[in-house]
């Protein structure tokens, strides 16, 4: 080697030494890994700032966002196994066992594929609950306010209109009929009354806020707070609903008696839309009383529907209504960003494995396998840090 | 080709003297044990239920140990020459810098919130807070940290 690399400048004999005792490829891979460390440090740092900077108690719990720690642990285990198999592959190459090396490489590839598959399943779970990285698909609202109630109402109306159209065409199946009934009851008995209470200027602001918060709870259940993990929903507002129900029943009988006693008046009185005040009972013509009775009937149906729920509206009736998750959108953004970039890195690793599987492996390929292994171990390292940060904190 | 063969020999002598399969399996078992240990904070035997920050510190320590094991054994750094310090020492320094840099924005972010800012911050999830009487306007009432840390 010295013979090739020395030069003769007259009487000087220069010999070039390698800068570092490793191949260029390995050096480059280590430099690349250091850039990747910076890349993921930036993303993880962002997540840490956002997550720990959120006001106390307002970050979604894993149960809120349907994050399953056992699945995360399984993924961690899969990646650790794949790290072991790639190292054993390198070992086999050094021991001149090319066939065994290829088998280990295929095992690593398969384990990486399992990881991606489980990740895809997790993503699907999030998407099915309306948790997307951004709007318009994301159904997460930050707080229970009038905008939230309005979006719940409009979505429910849309879904009902869809089924109504099918009904007009005469094509409803039995389940769809049931669904249509549910939509109507929920819309008229739960969502619209809540929205009306919330926008009623005559009520106290505590009542109005409570109506919105209750609506959010009915739609999504309260996983983190009062709900139990075995699925049964402890209804925190059951008492309130029951007392409302008894008040409404009393009012209903009153109004019905009123209807029977009063003679039918022909006054075409205009009833302004959205008039919820029940103060129009004393000298009322027929229409407002009947309207009020209709409203009471719808509300009672809604209360009964709610009381018969096991979990929440979204779960029991297979709806996809908007949900209220404080800091939920931030959570979704950071979660999908971190795991998405990590999944892309896993995918790149899998592509490199395919290239390795298609190659003829031998001792001359030890450098390639070693560098691939370095990259793959780095991907495993990132996941080792991501897993507790995202799932366990 | 002769040069490559020589390099291969140096490669074999230098590095294959490093890890054995037994060592790799032991590291694998250690990693699995550590992964299960990180769930220990969830068990009823965890003695620091009240202070979640101890749990987080524990989990970070477990993660750093796992990372160290992977780097030393799987990435072969235990048997590499001194250039590994050129790589690892600045990276370790940078990780410390990262924590220091992010501490004001992260942990201390909400300590100096003005009332106006707190009005627009996310609220804790406990619906019991909504039953309190708040001032009369259309904005939903803010709860801030009146009810303490709730993790």
């Amino acid at each position: 080697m010295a013979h090739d690399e020395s030069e003769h400048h007259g009487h000087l004999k220069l010999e070039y030494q390698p800068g570092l005792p490793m191949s260029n490829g390995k050096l480059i891979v280590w430099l690349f890994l250091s850039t990747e460390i910076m890349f993921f440090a930036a993303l993880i740092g962002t997540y840490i700032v956002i997550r720990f900077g959120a006001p106390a108690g307002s970050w979604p719990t894993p149960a809120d966002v349907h994050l399953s720690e056992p699945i995360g642990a399984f993924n961690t285990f899969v990646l650790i196994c794949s790290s072991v198999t790639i190292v054993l592959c390198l070992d086999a190459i050094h021991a001149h066992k090319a066939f065994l090396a290829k088998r280990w490489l295929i095992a690593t590839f398969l384990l990486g594929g399992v990881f991606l598959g489980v990740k895809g399943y997790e993503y699907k779970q999030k998407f099915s609950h309306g948790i997307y990285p951004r709007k318009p698909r994301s159904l997460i609202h930050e707080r229970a306010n009038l905008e939230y109630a309005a979006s719940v109402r409009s979505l429910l109306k849309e879904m009902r209109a869809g089924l109504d159209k099918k009904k007009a065409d005469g094509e409803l199946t039995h389940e769809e009929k049931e669904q249509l009934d549910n939509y109507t009851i929920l819309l008229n008995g739960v969502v619209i009354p809540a929205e009306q209470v919330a926008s009623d200027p005559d009520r106290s602001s505590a009542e109005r806020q409570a109506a919105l918060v209750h609506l959010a709870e009915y739609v999504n259940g309260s996983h983190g707070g009062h709900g139990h993990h075995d699925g049964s929903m402890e209804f925190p507002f059951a008492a309130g609903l029951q007392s409302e129900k008894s008040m409404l029943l009393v009012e209903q009988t009153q109004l019905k008696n009123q209807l029977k006693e009063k003679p039918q008046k022909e006054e075409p009185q205009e009833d302004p839309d959205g008039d919820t005040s029940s103060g129009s009972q004393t000298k009322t013509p027929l229409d407002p009383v009947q309207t009020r009775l209709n409203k009471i009937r719808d509300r009672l149906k809604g209360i009964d529907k709610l009381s018969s729920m096991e979990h929440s509206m979204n779960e029991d009736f297979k709806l996809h209504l908007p949900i209220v998750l404080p800091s939920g959108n931030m959570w979704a953004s950071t979660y999908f960003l971190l795991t998405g970039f990590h999944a892309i890195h896993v995918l790149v690793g899998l592509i490199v494995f395919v290239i390795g599987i298609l190659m003829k492996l031998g001792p001359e390929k030890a450098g390639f396998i070693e560098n691939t292994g370095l990259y793959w171990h780095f991907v495993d390292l990132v996941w080792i840090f991501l897993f507790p940060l995202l799932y366990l904190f | 080709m002769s040069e490559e063969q020589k390099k291969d020999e140096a490669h074999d002598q230098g590095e294959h003297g490093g890890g054995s399969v037994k060592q790799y399996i032991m590291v694998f078992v250690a990693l699995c044990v550590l992964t299960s240990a990180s769930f220990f904070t969830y068990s009823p035997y965890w003695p620091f239920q009240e202070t979640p920050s101890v749990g987080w510190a524990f989990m970070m320590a477990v993660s750093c140990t796992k990372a160290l094991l992977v780097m030393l054994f799987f990435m072969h750094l235990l048997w590499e020459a001194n250039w590994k310090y050129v790589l690892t020492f600045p990276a370790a320094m940078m990780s410390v810098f990262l924590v220091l840099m992010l501490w004001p924005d992260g942990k201390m972010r909400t300590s100096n919130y003005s009332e106006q800012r707190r009005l627009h911050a996310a609220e804790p999830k406990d619906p019991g807070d909504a039953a309190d009487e708040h001032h009369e306007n259309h904005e939903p009432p803010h709860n801030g940290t009146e009810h303490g840390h709730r993790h």
Side-chain angles (χ1 to χ4, degrees):
Chain A
M1 282 182 287
H3 184 70
D4 290 330
E5 293 169 5
S6 66
E7 289 185 21
H8 294 277
H9 291 272
H11 62 288
L12 284 177
K13 229 168 102 171
L14 298 174
E15 285 189 2
Y16 291 103
Q17 308 282 345
L20 285 168
M22 57 175 147
S23 66
N24 287 343
K26 187 162 159 185
L27 174 63
I28 287 298
V29 169
W30 272 112
L31 286 177
F32 172 65
L33 290 187
S34 57
T35 66
E36 292 279 86
I37 288 176
M38 290 188 250
F39 176 74
F40 276 103
L43 295 181
I44 290 180
T46 308
Y47 172 76
I48 288 177
V49 167
I50 290 178
R51 190 248 177 273
F52 291 101
S58 67
W59 194 256
T61 62
D64 286 333
V65 283
H66 307 276
L67 197 62
S68 162
E69 292 100 329
I71 291 188
F74 174 73
N75 260 358
T76 312
F77 176 71
V78 165
L79 267 191
I80 291 176
C81 285
S82 68
S83 273
V84 175
T85 53
I86 191 81
V87 120
L88 289 174
C89 173
L90 182 62
D91 211 55
I93 290 246
H94 281 316
H96 300 267
K97 295 180 188 163
F99 182 63
L100 190 62
K102 185 152 280 188
R103 291 228 310 263
W104 283 128
L105 195 56
I106 292 176
T108 316
F109 172 74
L110 289 176
L111 285 169
V114 167
F115 177 86
L116 279 186
V118 172
K119 203 104 289 325
Y121 167 73
E122 276 185 296
Y123 274 22
K124 189 157 169 298
Q125 250 199 330
K126 308 278 175 310
F127 294 162
S128 74
H129 286 105
I131 299 172
Y132 281 87
R134 63 175 196 142
K135 307 234 165 150
R137 291 200 188 197
S138 164
L139 292 177
I140 303 175
H141 286 250
E142 295 292 317
R143 41 173 45 141
N145 52 14
L146 284 172
E147 189 206 340
Y148 169 68
S151 67
V152 173
R153 175 192 22 99
S154 61
L155 200 63
L156 202 47
K157 260 195 180 159
E158 250 182 66
M159 288 154 62
R160 189 179 72 163
L163 277 188
D164 267 338
K165 188 166 172 304
K166 277 183 103 173
K167 180 178 179 184
D169 296 338
E171 299 169 355
L172 280 187
T173 64
H174 181 66
E175 293 90 27
E176 281 170 341
K177 276 207 190 86
E178 236 182 87
Q179 274 288 57
L180 184 57
D181 272 338
N182 284 341
Y183 290 170
T184 314
I185 294 176
L186 290 173
L187 188 61
N188 293 333
V190 179
V191 180
I192 290 188
E195 208 184 346
Q196 286 176 340
V197 166
S199 48
D200 188 354
D202 294 329
R203 305 237 190 183
S204 75
S205 74
E207 255 187 284
R208 288 156 61 185
Q209 182 59 16
L212 291 168
V213 169
H214 294 190
L215 177 65
E217 293 249 351
Y218 297 145
V219 169
N220 197 30
S222 61
H223 298 274
H226 306 275
H228 302 294
H229 277 281
D230 59 38
S232 68
M233 180 174 168
E234 183 191 289
F235 236 93
F237 315 119
L241 279 182
Q242 289 307 318
S243 64
E244 188 187 349
K245 180 172 174 175
S246 27
M247 279 191 346
L248 284 177
L249 285 172
V250 166
E251 194 185 339
Q252 197 183 38
T253 21
Q254 269 181 7
L255 288 182
K256 279 190 176 153
N257 293 339
Q258 226 183 351
L259 266 188
K260 283 194 209 131
E261 289 163 13
K262 285 234 172 231
Q264 304 268 348
K265 284 196 183 165
E266 234 57 39
E267 286 181 44
Q269 180 111 153
E270 291 296 303
D271 202 6
D273 280 316
D275 178 32
T276 57
S277 63
S278 50
S280 52
Q281 288 176 25
T282 43
K283 306 177 211 173
T284 47
L286 181 59
D287 287 321
V289 176
Q290 188 58 46
T291 321
R292 179 69 191 147
L293 272 175
N294 290 343
K295 282 214 173 90
I296 292 177
R297 178 201 62 205
D298 289 335
R299 180 61 181 152
L300 285 172
K301 274 199 203 155
I303 292 179
D304 285 333
K305 203 53 142 178
L306 285 178
S307 310
S308 73
M309 264 181 4
E310 278 182 13
H311 303 278
S312 62
M313 276 162 61
N314 268 349
E315 237 177 295
D316 283 30
F317 307 115
K318 299 200 192 8
L319 302 172
H320 294 280
L321 294 176
I323 56 180
V324 170
L325 267 187
S327 302
N329 279 312
M330 273 302 192
W331 182 90
S333 299
T334 48
Y335 173 80
F336 283 112
L337 184 76
L338 285 172
T339 53
F341 266 119
H342 183 258
I344 291 175
H345 282 73
V346 170
L347 193 61
V348 167
L350 292 189
I351 293 174
V352 176
F353 290 149
V354 168
I355 295 175
I357 290 171
L358 296 175
M359 277 201 296
K360 187 167 170 349
L361 292 179
E364 72 277 6
K365 294 291 193 300
F368 171 81
I369 296 293
E370 185 178 8
N371 295 339
T372 310
L374 282 177
Y375 176 77
W376 191 249
H377 289 133
F378 175 75
V379 164
D380 186 24
L381 266 177
V382 171
W383 182 255
I384 282 174
F385 280 106
L386 274 189
F387 167 62
L389 278 176
L390 288 176
Y391 290 75
L392 299 181
F393 274 22
Chain B
M1 265 320 264
S2 63
E3 227 171 70
E4 267 191 61
Q5 276 176 352
K6 284 186 195 150
K7 271 199 196 135
D8 285 340
E9 278 169 13
H11 209 66
D12 276 330
Q13 287 164 6
E15 297 183 19
H16 199 52
S20 67
V21 176
K22 185 157 164 288
Q23 273 180 326
Y24 295 146
I25 300 294
M26 280 187 359
V27 170
F28 168 65
V29 170
L31 287 174
C32 291
V33 166
L34 283 170
T35 309
S36 333
S38 59
F39 276 98
F40 180 50
T41 48
Y42 276 50
S43 87
Y45 298 112
W46 177 245
F48 300 103
Q49 304 278 2
E50 299 300 311
T51 41
S53 36
V54 177
W56 297 333
F58 174 73
M59 283 191 251
M60 278 324 287
V62 165
S63 296
C64 289
T65 314
K66 281 159 72 173
L68 212 59
L69 282 174
V70 169
M71 280 175 57
L72 284 176
F73 288 92
F74 289 167
M75 291 172 107
H76 230 269
L77 281 185
L78 190 63
W79 300 284
E80 297 285 8
N82 285 346
W83 57 262
K84 65 188 175 195
Y85 300 117
V86 175
L87 203 85
T88 51
F89 185 59
M93 278 170 57
M94 282 200 291
S95 66
V96 174
F97 291 160
L98 192 75
V99 172
L100 288 176
M101 210 169 59
L102 296 177
W103 191 262
D105 285 320
K107 196 64 186 127
M108 290 171 49
R109 187 163 103 174
T110 53
S111 347
N112 289 329
Y113 266 10
S114 65
E115 284 300 296
Q116 180 78 1
R117 180 70 186 85
R118 215 178 278 282
L119 196 69
H120 295 280
E123 295 162 12
K125 292 193 314 276
D126 197 316
D129 298 335
D132 298 322
E133 191 66 43
H134 293 281
H135 40 266
E136 298 274 315
N137 58 11
H138 273 292
E139 279 290 315
H142 64 274
N143 292 299
T145 55
E146 296 161 64
H147 303 276
H149 289 264
R150 189 176 290 122
H151 282 285

